[in-house]
Amino acid sequence: MKRWLSVLLIAFLAVGLLAACAPEREQEAEGSGTDGESSEEGSTDETAEKPEKLVVWEDKDKGVGLEPAIESFEEEYGIEVEFKELNMSDKMREQLRLDGPAGTGPDVLTLPHDQIGQLAIEGLISPIEVDSSVTDKFTESSIQAQTYDGKLYGLPKATETPVFIYNKEHMDQAPESFDELYEFSQDFGGDKEYGFLALWDNFYFGNAIMAGYGGYVFGDDNGAANPQDLGLNNEGAIEGAQYIQKWYEDVFPAGIVGESGGSAKDGLFQDGDVASMMDGPWAYQALNEAGIDYGVAPLPELPNGEFPQTFIGVKGWHVSAQSENQEWSTKLVEHLTNAENAKIRYEKTDEIPPVKSLMEDPIIADNEKANAVAVQSQRGTPMPNIPEMGEVWEPMAQALQVIATGKSSPEEALNEAQETVKTNIELNHSGN
């Protein structure tokens, strides 16, 4: 009887404790209603043992945008945060493979989203669990980019995508449509001057046109990329490639095909021989240094009434699978990406945060360059982050180059490219 009473008493005490905690948890879930959104960062387990220090790997020359967020995190939680700048390329990924298992790697690191799938498969980054009130702050496409195999592997910090850049000396404003741009290009300048240039033999850029006509890389399987469903040679992709070929035949010079195409395009634009081009925000610095008076806009409408669907690149913050502080690392990721810190980071780095409230903030909405990237990002599609994407680039580049030079019909070139991609996926990824 005494034992039964003891069990009953423990049960009543447990219910009482839960009831006492409920208002506090409910208040956390409601949030503060401010841009800081610090109360939304209660989605991790604050009862986890607090570490003395967390280590962050940041992109080279971007630490200036990280320091204010680190300072406020240290002040709020009493945890030291140390950051190290590394070149955010394959080198950071290789360094993680070495330092992570050795216990000398980071707790939190930044990555381009197209690397997520491979690192998740290798067990080098961890899925994170955050409240929906956190993920709802971001654009849908940026959260999609941070998701692999149905699991969230990070939170977005910056987005980038190609846009329309024009020389104001030659063009008063951006055209509304590619039809208008084509007509302008037919009449513009002399023999060595061009109304518009784009690297459409590069699949990163050329896919925007093909996708705008209905082509796709991988089909969608309940929000996940399906590598068994390829749309690289469907009717829309072929129609888009035909439109690409038209521009190479009628407007573009032969010199912007292949590996040297980018430098040739940039040189012509900076010399004032090109009225407009398709490029990304990474081009702004060189144009500023060249003293070009340029404008930026989303890409014009295609002849079929659709907009080009550019690839979106999303940089994110991620938690290393080797970190011994998973809960606190996740809390740090939430803190780094909240609206207040995202805005500060944008002001210091000019990298666009895919935070919905900031897309409407005058700091971005009234900034021509930033707003163009924001609008085009909403029209684009995240670059697939599954490892099979690695099999797509080279065959599609080869296809677009023979299309651009007129050595093959779009249908024939794309049929061959799709078959190559399919074969390579079967050979190299049958275990995925």
Side-chain angles (χ1 to χ4, degrees):
M1 177 66 72
K2 288 182 180 180
R3 182 177 180 182
W4 182 86
L5 287 172
S6 297
V7 171
L8 185 61
L9 179 60
I10 290 171
F12 276 120
L13 286 172
V15 170
L17 284 171
L18 286 172
C21 292
E24 182 180 349
R25 292 186 177 272
E26 189 173 309
Q27 185 177 8
E28 287 178 356
E30 287 174 357
S32 64
T34 66
D35 281 346
E37 296 167 359
S38 59
S39 63
E40 287 188 1
E41 293 163 21
S43 58
T44 54
D45 184 2
E46 292 192 23
T47 63
E49 184 177 352
K50 187 180 292 189
E52 292 184 5
K53 182 173 72 173
L54 294 172
V55 176
V56 177
W57 282 2
E58 169 63 299
D59 193 12
K60 188 173 177 60
D61 299 326
K62 300 299 182 184
V64 64
L66 180 63
E67 290 172 342
I70 284 178
E71 183 178 343
S72 59
F73 183 86
E74 290 177 334
E75 182 178 342
E76 182 169 353
Y77 297 109
I79 300 172
E80 178 188 356
V81 179
E82 174 187 303
F83 78 90
K84 178 180 180 181
E85 290 185 343
L86 296 172
N87 206 333
M88 192 183 67
S89 62
D90 290 340
K91 290 183 180 179
M92 184 180 287
R93 181 168 57 180
E94 292 302 323
Q95 197 68 34
L96 181 64
R97 287 173 175 142
L98 295 172
D99 291 358
T104 56
D107 296 285
V108 171
L109 72 157
T110 188
L111 292 167
H113 83 270
D114 58 315
Q115 294 185 10
I116 291 175
Q118 186 60 46
L119 292 178
I121 288 173
E122 294 179 33
L124 292 173
I125 56 175
S126 297
I128 64 172
E129 293 185 10
V130 298
D131 192 80
S132 61
S133 63
V134 174
T135 54
D136 286 348
K137 296 181 302 182
F138 302 96
T139 62
E140 183 178 350
S141 61
S142 68
I143 290 296
Q144 180 186 346
Q146 299 296 303
T147 303
Y148 173 73
D149 197 24
K151 298 176 183 176
L152 184 67
Y153 277 89
L155 292 177
K157 81 169 185 179
T159 185
E160 60 184 18
T161 198
V163 288
F164 184 81
I165 302 175
Y166 60 100
N167 187 330
K168 291 184 177 180
E169 181 181 345
H170 302 309
M171 191 177 282
D172 294 333
Q173 61 184 18
E176 295 291 331
S177 69
F178 268 99
D179 282 340
E180 181 184 343
L181 181 60
Y182 181 82
E183 293 300 323
F184 172 89
S185 299
Q186 295 296 297
D187 299 329
F188 176 76
D191 291 340
K192 295 184 179 180
E193 293 179 314
Y194 309 95
F196 175 69
L197 292 181
L199 302 177
W200 286 343
D201 68 314
N202 179 325
F203 186 61
Y204 175 77
F205 296 100
N207 177 71
I209 306 304
M210 297 167 63
Y213 277 93
Y216 59 89
V217 183
F218 303 122
D220 183 272
D221 184 8
N222 294 320
N226 180 4
Q228 307 307 314
D229 178 8
L230 298 174
L232 298 167
N233 69 338
N234 68 9
E235 184 178 341
I238 293 170
E239 187 176 359
Q242 290 170 341
Y243 190 63
I244 286 174
Q245 192 173 61
K246 174 182 177 179
W247 278 85
Y248 277 95
E249 290 174 347
D250 299 345
V251 178
F252 297 169
I256 66 161
V257 175
E259 293 182 3
S260 62
S263 57
K265 173 186 68 66
D266 294 344
L268 287 167
F269 193 91
Q270 291 171 26
D271 288 342
D273 297 326
V274 179
S276 62
M277 65 178 178
M278 177 182 179
D279 214 325
W282 48 84
Y284 297 167
Q285 183 175 349
L287 296 179
N288 293 335
E289 292 172 355
I292 303 293
D293 183 14
Y294 65 97
V296 184
L299 287 162
E301 184 180 87
L302 291 166
N304 66 346
E306 302 293 333
F307 288 103
Q309 293 182 21
T310 48
F311 276 137
I312 305 168
V314 181
K315 300 174 186 177
W317 288 112
H318 307 271
V319 176
S320 168
Q322 276 74 38
S323 171
E324 296 180 354
N325 306 294
Q326 296 286 312
E327 295 88 349
W328 283 102
S329 295
T330 300
K331 184 177 290 297
L332 176 58
V333 167
E334 291 184 43
H335 186 82
L336 296 178
T337 57
N338 70 30
E340 180 180 359
N341 288 320
K343 184 174 182 177
I344 294 171
R345 186 180 186 280
Y346 165 70
E347 292 172 329
K348 292 181 176 294
T349 67
D350 288 330
E351 292 191 330
I352 314 298
V355 177
K356 288 186 284 190
S357 63
L358 294 181
M359 294 292 187
E360 301 170 0
D361 190 297
I363 195 171
I364 289 179
D366 293 347
N367 182 305
E368 180 187 53
K369 298 179 181 67
N371 187 59
V373 174
V375 172
Q376 186 60 48
S377 292
Q378 294 180 51
R379 296 174 180 173
T381 183
M383 192 185 308
N385 63 10
I386 61 175
E388 288 86 348
M389 186 64 188
E391 310 298 343
V392 174
W393 298 111
E394 185 59 29
M396 287 304 296
Q398 292 176 359
L400 287 171
Q401 284 176 18
V402 296
I403 290 169
T405 56
K407 295 178 180 178
S408 175
S409 70
E411 183 173 3
E412 181 181 357
L414 294 182
N415 285 344
E416 183 177 342
Q418 168 137 324
E419 190 59 35
T420 301
V421 172
K422 180 181 178 181
T423 299
N424 289 344
I425 288 175
E426 290 173 352
L427 288 174
N428 300 324
H429 302 274
S430 57
N432 290 348

